[in-house]
Structures are given as C-alpha cells and as structure tokens.
Amino acid sequence: MLFHNKLITWYLQNKRHLPWRETKNPYAIWLSEIILQQTRVAQGLPYFEAFLTNYPTVQDLANAHEDEVMRLWQGLGYYSRARNLHFTAKTITHELNGVFPNNYKDLLKLKGVGEYTAAAIASIAYGEIVPVVDGNVFRVLSRIYGITSDISTATTKKEFQAKAQELISHEQPATFNQAIMDFGAIQCTPKSPQCPQCPFIQDCVAYNTNQVDKLPVKLAKTKVKKRYLDFLIFVDNDQNTYIQQRTKKDIWQKLYQFPLIDRFEQNDINVQQILTEDFKNQPVKDIVQLNTDYVIHILSHQKLHIHFWMIKCEKLARNENYEIVSWNQLNKFGFPIVIHNFINSINTK
DNA sequence: AAGGCGGGGAG
DNA sequence: CTCCCAGCCTT
C-alpha cells in the first residue's frame, strides 16, 4: 500500500478532534497555526478559543490594541508570535483588502508565517499540494526512511521537504499533512513510540535496525545563560505601584514588568543605594525582601534567578520611566508568567 | 549558518 | 534532570 494511503487510513481511525479542524476559515486556521508553533496542542487550545472569542474576524484582531493582544497571549511564550499576529492582521485588513492570501507563495510573505505555516494554511484552507515539515515530520520520516542527517541544518530541511513532497497525497494534501503530524504526536512519539502497533513496522528502517531511539539526529545544543533579576514592587497608601513596558530587543518584548535591576553576573545588589540613586525623589518607608531563595524561571536560552522586593511608600511620585497603576488593575496588563504568578501568590495571601 | 526567543509537559 | 513541542526572525 502507498505511504499516503496507509498514513491516512491510520489517521481516520486515530485522529484528534480539534476545533480548527472543523473549519475552512483561513483566519481561524492561520490563528491556530501561529499559536501551535513550538507549542503543544493542549497548551494552545484555550488560547485559540480566547482569541477567536475576542476577535471573531481578522478585522477585529486588526482593530484591537496591541496591549490587549499581548495580555491575551500572556503565558503562551514566544511573544513575537503575538506581535507578528497583530501586525499581519493589520496588513491583511488594510493592505490586502481584508482578503487572505490563498497560496503558499503569498502566504510566505506574511510576517510570522514561515515555510511550515505557509504550507499548513495553503494545504488545509486551499487544498494546495505542499507538504508541511515540522518536528513531527522530521521524526516520522527520519525513522521510517532511516534518514540520519542532522535536522538542525537548512540542507537537511530541504531534504525532508523533498521527501515529503514525494510522499504527499495529491488527492488529499490537507488530510495528509494533518495525518503525518498527528502520527508523530500520537504514535511515533519522541520517547517510547508505539512501535508494536505501528502500521509502518514492516517498512520502518529505524525499527528494523533498532535505531528508533537514535532518530532523528539533532546535533545543535542550546546553551543557557544565567541571569539575575531583582524586581522592585512599589506600594503606596493608595495601593498604587510602578510598572513599565519592556521595549528593547530582549526577552518579553511588549510585556509589562515592575522596576527592574537586571544583570548577567551574580552580585548582590544594594536596594537602598538603587533607591537613592534612581528614585531619589521618592521617599521610602520600608524595604522588604519578599523571597530569600531565588525564584527560578527557565527560558529556552536563559535561566533566570529572581528576587522580588516590596518598597513601601506614602505616595508614589510621578516618574517619567514608569506608569503608576492601581494594584487591582494589574490584570489589565500582560506580564511575563513568572511575574504574573508572583502577583497572584501575593493576592491570595 | 547560528543565535535568540517561553512556557510547560513527559519520561 | 533532559528533551521537545503544528517555528520564525534577525544577524
């Protein structure tokens, strides 16, 4: 039996029932694909529902305030996706007359849409015969065909794209693409794949040479830098606090935070000294260190060591670098999840 | 080609 | 702990 027939047969018996599979609406499909980049279905699902509820159409998303989009994305990570999502909604609404690009080549021009996402939308929404190559496809094809190239290189990606193009069903490209991804997510998993009940067990090179746990080959290792953050949580008698938006090309761009002392070396800071230098017009009643053990927060390339401080004041003075907001209004802003969780832990005390 | 960018779940 | 998830953008 042909590869695509065997795969689709498996899919029809095992597929996951997901909301974005109930529609041909390119907006909803695009939204789902952006959310699912480097993100598990279970984690992305509630965000998909929230975005579609708050912004039923691409025009609604285009008209939204960026801060609100960022707040809705809060906790999902890789925040450039949210910024690009909003940017592209405006592009489609204002420059493309509200009409979604309907082919791979034009989809690829959209900000935040790369080869994978363009292929996914083109095939699922428009039936174009173009294969997706994501982490699942690398794993499935490397094992079945015994491909030992390092998947972290651009050359290898082309190799897999060519292989997938050769295998894709010309009659059901959308089903094929979703099938191979579900197969990777459910059956041909990274660890402990379900080989005994695999329809490709006869053909699978990796299985028949006992190399399933060695494929795919990925050589690149990301190294993690340590970083030390001290957040200053000002509170005055009116329950106001200082926050600021992160604007630099760095982690968490466009999210909000408390005043921050930030460094890559582990040297203890003198909060009193910081206050007299950077907040010299702000009388302070009391300084309380809220956690002695670091709050540890792991990012893909950084390991964050965080201390939170409470700075008690009578009344917060205006400060050009910070916004003064009421403590109970903090939920209007998108924060890094580690800060959001800390705010919640204070609120429930 | 290489590095940066989040957060969470599985094993 | 390590690995990886429906990747993309910048340098």
Side-chain angles (χ1 to χ4, degrees):
Chain A
M1 191 188 287
L2 287 171
F3 180 93
H4 65 253
N5 287 336
K6 197 179 285 191
L7 180 65
I8 288 174
T9 298
W10 175 92
Y11 178 66
L12 296 178
Q13 295 168 355
N14 297 280
K15 73 173 185 176
R16 296 175 287 186
H17 294 272
L18 304 169
W20 47 83
R21 288 182 173 164
E22 310 294 323
T23 179
K24 289 283 184 185
N25 177 0
Y27 167 64
I29 292 170
W30 165 65
L31 177 62
S32 75
E33 293 301 340
I34 301 301
I35 286 174
L36 291 171
Q37 287 168 6
Q38 290 291 286
T39 303
R40 292 172 186 282
V41 166
Q43 188 185 4
L45 199 42
Y47 288 83
F48 176 79
E49 305 285 10
F51 269 81
L52 219 47
T53 299
N54 282 274
Y55 313 122
T57 69
V58 69
Q59 287 81 12
D60 294 321
L61 178 57
N63 292 332
H65 292 287
E66 186 179 45
D67 276 4
E68 187 186 59
V69 176
M70 298 309 294
R71 187 182 59 79
L72 268 185
W73 200 271
Q74 171 179 267
L76 195 55
Y78 285 152
Y79 295 93
S80 65
R81 291 183 293 170
R83 300 191 299 269
N84 290 336
L85 186 79
H86 190 219
F87 179 92
T88 292
K90 289 188 282 189
T91 300
I92 291 170
T93 299
H94 300 130
E95 295 177 25
L96 301 181
N97 209 14
V99 179
F100 244 86
N102 68 352
N103 62 82
Y104 177 81
K105 182 167 158 290
D106 289 331
L107 284 163
L108 202 50
K109 296 174 185 170
L110 301 176
K111 208 167 181 73
V113 175
E115 292 178 331
Y116 162 77
T117 304
I121 301 172
S123 62
I124 296 170
Y126 304 109
E128 187 170 339
I129 303 168
V130 51
V132 295
V133 175
D134 73 335
N136 292 304
V137 176
F138 276 125
R139 188 168 54 256
V140 171
L141 296 186
S142 69
R143 286 175 177 169
I144 294 178
Y145 292 96
I147 303 170
T148 56
S149 320
D150 173 16
I151 64 168
S152 53
T153 72
T155 308
T156 301
K157 186 177 178 185
K158 290 191 190 307
E159 183 183 351
F160 278 80
Q161 285 170 326
K163 189 65 187 175
Q165 184 69 58
E166 172 191 320
L167 295 171
I168 192 171
S169 164
H170 286 222
E171 290 71 38
Q172 305 178 75
T175 304
F176 176 91
N177 278 339
Q178 296 184 83
I180 196 168
M181 290 190 286
D182 261 19
F183 186 79
I186 298 169
Q187 169 78 36
C188 193
T189 50
K191 291 176 183 174
S192 308
Q194 309 296 306
C195 295
Q197 42 187 303
C198 176
F200 296 100
I201 192 167
Q202 301 290 334
D203 328 291
C204 181
V205 171
Y207 181 80
N208 290 302
T209 58
N210 199 24
Q211 294 190 82
V212 171
D213 59 349
K214 299 204 171 17
L215 294 175
V217 174
K218 187 154 121 187
L219 298 180
K221 303 285 185 205
T222 63
K223 58 175 183 179
V224 178
K225 293 181 189 169
K226 293 181 180 177
R227 191 167 179 178
Y228 298 85
L229 310 174
D230 286 80
F231 287 109
L232 306 183
I233 305 178
F234 286 76
V235 183
D236 71 4
N237 291 345
D238 298 325
Q239 296 292 300
N240 286 326
T241 191
Y242 286 136
I243 62 170
Q244 70 180 161
Q245 190 171 37
R246 296 179 61 88
T247 54
K248 293 179 181 157
K249 284 189 181 178
D250 192 3
I251 59 173
W252 301 332
Q253 189 183 1
K254 292 300 179 90
L255 295 183
Y256 284 81
Q257 66 181 11
F258 298 111
L260 169 66
I261 301 137
D262 182 11
R263 62 217 179 276
F264 284 95
E265 300 80 30
Q266 182 178 23
N267 47 1
D268 290 338
I269 61 158
N270 184 330
V271 173
Q272 183 67 61
Q273 184 182 344
I274 301 284
L275 290 173
T276 54
E277 288 173 1
D278 296 349
F279 295 88
K280 49 173 159 298
N281 296 325
Q282 178 61 59
V284 170
K285 284 197 300 185
D286 196 12
I287 301 170
V288 182
Q289 184 171 5
L290 296 176
N291 62 312
T292 48
D293 291 346
Y294 288 120
V295 172
I296 302 293
H297 189 68
I298 309 285
L299 306 180
S300 54
H301 286 65
Q302 299 181 22
K303 180 173 183 178
L304 309 182
H305 300 64
I306 305 176
H307 280 148
F308 292 94
W309 302 79
M310 181 167 290
I311 315 297
K312 296 183 180 176
C313 307
E314 288 288 343
K315 179 148 185 73
L316 292 186
R318 286 177 55 181
N319 187 311
E320 60 179 356
N321 297 318
Y322 304 100
E323 296 178 43
I324 297 176
V325 299
S326 173
W327 186 264
N328 61 25
Q329 294 296 305
L330 289 180
N331 59 2
K332 306 293 183 194
F333 300 86
F335 284 87
I337 201 65
V338 65
I339 299 179
H340 179 257
N341 289 342
F342 195 81
I343 293 170
N344 280 347
S345 75
I346 291 177
N347 288 340
T348 56
K349 264 180 198 166

